[in-house]
Amino acid sequence: MRNFLPPLLSLCGFASAQKIKVEALYSQYCSGCHGAKFEGGQGGSLVDGEWKHGSSDTEIFKSIAKGNLQLGMNPWEGVLTDDQIRGLVIFLRENEKKNLAKGMSFPTPSPDKVTKTALENYRIVTLVDKGLKNPWAIAFLPDGRKLVTEKAGQLRFITADGKLDPEIISGTPPVIEHGQGGLMEVAVHPDYAKNGWVYLGLSDGTREKREGGKDEAHCLTAVVRGKIKGHQWTDQEWIYRADPKFRSSAGVHFGTRFVFDKGYIYFVVGERGGLMEVQDLSRPNGKIHRLHDDGRVPADNPFVKTKDAIPGIWSYGHRNPQGLAMDPRDGSLYDTEHGPRGGDELNLIKPGANYGWPVVTLGMNYSGMPMSYPGPGGNEMLSVTEKEGMENPVAYWLPSIAVCGLDFYTGDKFPKWKNDLLVGALAQQEIRRLRIVDKKVVSQEIILKDIGRVRDVAMGPDGLIYVVLNGPDRLARLVPAGTR
Ligand code: HEC
């Protein structure tokens, strides 16, 4: 796992040729024929959704690499590297999406409007539109109440009739709100009615005052459980809290999200900006972990016998998974993870498997340059799109939609969506419905769009679909058209 193949091309000359951003590549090499705004000219429009020479990412890659001299399109292989061509595909996809989205309209939440989708029609009912700040996740109590986390550290009740309880639950553990981190996941134990356990995923660590006024935070994702008596958090037990030496000052990629199954809890510790650390089994970040629901390490975890490995690790090589869900039909575990630009993934999680970050990604750097990482000896290595021994995603999103929140629909209120996977997205402000057959995505549909950044999507015990939104901060639910 730590032996890397040498890069295919010599690094020196190659790396410097790579220091051109994708935007600059396009204007230098392509805009002359395809237009500054991709509108077309001597070559066709690249953003109208029509691809004469094949519309898959692979075919578009081929159109660029091989060209079509008869039609007047130069072959770009040899001039541009594969990574640069791959970057152009991502770039064209992003702009195609922007262009096509202009004509789309989805209803804003209003009790009177019905949204029609391919299989089901629904209305959006806003439950809470005031008083919640950066809500992150939702969980459901058997008495009809809900729990909602706020990123700054507060855990709150939503009453059974859907109103925000003004009284905050006190005594929950302190969180280090830092960058993307804070109080994140909340879930109730499957046997909550008997044992009362509520689990929280949070950014745990320290914040120190530095001279000159700037605080420095050191933190890592942790898991804690407790019970709630009235509005008081009690009986607290840490389920997962790494050695403080693994805390990071980075503000990014905390992960979290829980799945319970057969007495186990699966949870995510995000990459924390650690890049190659996620390939290192002696570090907890960039991993999905599995523990007994009381925090003990299961004896049959894949790395319990591996020297220096953190024994809770279930799978590794993850960047920033913020969706985790189990298929009710066959127990398959899936994550959705934020990739770099153009590399958001849906993965089927297998014990002991390596999901490749940052060695393998389908995305590029946010800067528009190919993705790279510090390899052995600190040499800059370019990421590749696949590699033996590392898992490929089941699906990926190009452009990135910023996946967040994931749940299988198992209820009866939307019968035609039964067992479909609901995928939330922040940047594209969407919920997508994926149909999965035999562990493969066979169709995909956007069922909600443009009402805010979707932080969490979850089916309630009532079979309705709850959506936690950021910007504006809201809690809403989808109800079948024709019902209240
Ligand atoms: C000299 C003019 C010219 C330049 C420069 C050029 N193209 Fe093209 N391109 C064409 C023509 C002509 C076609 C074929 C259009 C057709 O089939 O109608 C084409 C086709 C394509 C297609 C396939 C489109 C489809 O509908 O399937 C893609 C993708 C593409 N170009 C991308 C690029 C990119 C990326 C660059 C820059 C690296 C580039 N082109 C540079 C002229 C050009």
Side-chain angles (χ1 to χ4, degrees), residues 15-66:
S16 60
Q18 294 279 335
K19 301 276 179 221
I20 311 173
K21 296 187 183 188
V22 71
E23 292 79 4
L25 281 180
Y26 180 83
S27 46
Q28 188 175 338
Y29 295 109
C30 323
S31 65
C33 290
H34 289 288
K37 297 204 165 85
F38 320 95
E39 69 279 16
Q42 196 180 330
S45 162
L46 297 174
V47 291
D48 58 2
E50 283 174 31
W51 301 96
K52 289 186 213 150
H53 307 284
S55 64
S56 71
D57 299 335
T58 319
E59 287 166 318
I60 296 173
F61 183 100
K62 209 174 142 216
S63 289
I64 302 171
K66 303 285 174 201

Side-chain angles (χ1 to χ4, degrees), residues 59-297:
E59 287 166 318
I60 296 173
F61 183 100
K62 209 174 142 216
S63 289
I64 302 171
K66 303 285 174 201
N68 188 322
L69 283 173
Q70 254 169 337
L71 293 171
M73 165 76 177
N74 330 27
W76 291 98
E77 62 185 1
V79 181
L80 304 175
T81 65
D82 280 5
D83 297 275
Q84 290 175 318
I85 297 175
R86 170 84 200 150
L88 283 164
V89 175
I90 296 171
F91 183 62
L92 294 182
R93 281 287 194 221
E94 290 170 348
N95 284 289
E96 176 192 24
K97 172 124 187 177
K98 258 188 233 154
N99 191 52
L100 296 180
K102 277 183 204 151
M104 265 191 197
S105 75
F106 281 78
T108 40
S110 143
D112 343 301
K113 283 190 195 153
V114 168
T115 300
K116 297 199 163 89
T117 76
L119 300 177
E120 296 281 2
N121 301 329
Y122 68 83
R123 286 182 307 107
I124 300 168
V125 177
T126 302
L127 297 177
V128 180
D129 61 358
K130 278 188 201 72
L132 276 178
K133 189 148 181 272
N134 290 323
W136 219 95
I138 186 168
F140 304 91
L141 297 170
D143 63 5
R145 286 181 303 167
K146 292 125 192 115
L147 291 165
V148 171
T149 51
E150 291 178 310
K151 184 168 163 271
Q154 307 195 118
L155 180 63
R156 311 192 63 166
F157 283 123
I158 307 292
T159 61
D161 59 353
K163 301 204 167 52
L164 180 65
D165 182 340
E167 191 182 339
I168 283 146
I169 297 166
S170 56
T172 52
V175 309
I176 305 296
E177 192 190 18
H178 176 52
Q180 299 166 357
L183 180 56
M184 295 171 283
E185 177 72 318
V186 55
V188 301
H189 191 282
D191 289 330
Y192 174 88
K194 276 193 223 132
N195 63 28
W197 287 121
V198 173
Y199 289 68
L200 300 175
L202 54 98
S203 156
D204 165 52
T206 56
R207 192 192 302 278
E208 284 154 37
K209 285 253 172 278
R210 284 271 177 274
E211 275 177 47
K214 226 182 163 226
D215 289 0
E216 198 169 308
H218 291 272
C219 44
L220 190 73
T221 314
V223 182
V224 69
R225 72 175 177 183
K227 299 183 183 182
I228 301 170
K229 308 239 162 83
H231 284 77
Q232 183 67 37
W233 178 259
T234 65
D235 301 285
Q236 176 172 301
E237 292 176 4
W238 287 98
I239 297 299
Y240 177 75
R241 205 179 192 190
D243 188 316
K245 72 179 182 197
F246 295 123
R247 291 172 182 165
S248 160
S249 59
V252 295
H253 308 165
F254 287 81
T256 82
R257 299 297 183 196
F258 306 151
V259 160
F260 291 93
D261 184 51
K262 300 189 184 82
Y264 301 113
I265 178 174
Y266 297 83
F267 60 92
V268 183
V269 177
E271 172 244 33
R272 307 292 289 106
L275 286 172
M276 282 312 280
E277 291 174 9
V278 316
Q279 290 292 324
D280 181 346
L281 292 170
S282 71
R283 294 180 162 271
N285 45 328
K287 316 293 189 310
I288 292 177
H289 298 240
R290 182 183 79 153
L291 297 176
H292 289 293
D293 57 24
D294 59 1
R296 283 172 304 123
V297 174

